[in-house]
Amino acid sequence: MSFSVPAGRTFGLVGESGCGKTTIGRLIVGLEKVTSGQILFGGEHLSRFSGRERRRLGRKIQLMFQDSYASMDPRMRVGAILREPLVIQRQGGRASQQQRVTAILDEVGLPAAAADRYPHEFSGGQRQRLGLARALILRPAVIVADEPVSALDVSIQAQILNLMRDLQASHGLS
């Protein structure tokens, strides 16, 4: 398989169930190890990075999971879940991280008070907004979205897809 995604563009990978779409996404974000072939980002081979270099690159490529609820620790409040990547990447102090969490919640259409709630307290569409917020929190260049709306009602699907399109334009995302 070979494909290229220009900066700021959307790319859709379509195929039968079990054909490897999710695996390709997991390879791109570094959750799976490349065993053959190559994945290039900005002209650099992603498979050549390890440890600290890969974490640094992780800021630029983020994953939005198909099941956002399953990707969140149910024992953590949303604010801590969203802040976690900033802490791992050592971006800012606690106060600036909290400000970033509040700002990203606003960008995805959720109130600041959402930071004090647990994942199970949100609807499916709101959870997908949280998944998008988590993917955006590090200000990546690329978001790999693994069927981000497949489990949502049609009207909610449209809202999330429109939100993703608007955020893509405002952030220059691929």
Side-chain angles (χ1 to χ4, degrees):
M1 160 180 299
S2 178
F3 59 86
S4 168
V5 184
R9 301 297 305 260
T10 299
F11 175 80
L13 184 58
V14 179
E16 295 178 22
S17 179
C19 73
K21 300 178 300 289
T22 295
T23 301
I24 293 293
R26 292 176 62 86
L27 287 165
I28 292 168
V29 298
L31 293 177
E32 301 280 341
K33 191 169 179 83
V34 176
T35 56
S36 66
Q38 59 186 357
I39 299 172
L40 302 174
F41 179 74
E44 304 212 45
H45 294 270
L46 295 183
S47 60
R48 293 188 182 154
F49 293 101
S50 63
R52 183 179 303 159
E53 293 172 319
R54 185 67 184 131
R55 280 189 299 279
R56 179 185 52 80
L57 187 61
R59 296 179 208 163
K60 297 180 181 181
I61 305 172
Q62 290 290 302
L63 178 64
M64 185 175 171
F65 292 94
Q66 180 176 358
D67 182 356
S68 60
Y69 183 61
S71 70
M72 294 183 228
D73 186 336
R75 299 165 295 167
M76 292 174 69
R77 293 182 191 272
V78 164
I81 291 169
L82 295 178
R83 222 180 109 243
E84 188 175 40
L86 299 170
V87 172
I88 290 168
Q89 295 288 337
R90 296 184 173 106
Q91 290 192 8
R94 187 171 182 84
S96 67
Q97 291 169 354
Q98 289 301 120
Q99 289 174 341
R100 182 76 187 123
V101 166
T102 301
I104 205 73
L105 284 170
D106 183 59
E107 284 189 64
V108 298
L110 293 171
D116 297 324
R117 294 166 52 195
Y118 291 94
H120 73 272
E121 299 180 89
F122 294 89
S123 69
Q126 290 172 323
R127 288 178 189 154
Q128 254 344 63
R129 289 172 186 268
L130 292 173
L132 182 54
R134 171 122 180 179
L136 285 169
I137 196 87
L138 293 174
R139 297 181 177 109
V142 174
I143 292 181
V144 176
D146 183 13
E147 298 188 44
V149 296
S150 62
L152 303 174
D153 294 334
V154 174
S155 62
I156 304 301
Q157 285 180 359
Q159 289 176 14
I160 298 298
L161 291 172
N162 288 335
L163 174 63
M164 290 174 72
R165 184 192 60 222
D166 295 345
L167 291 169
Q168 177 184 17
S170 66
H171 290 266
L173 293 165
S174 295

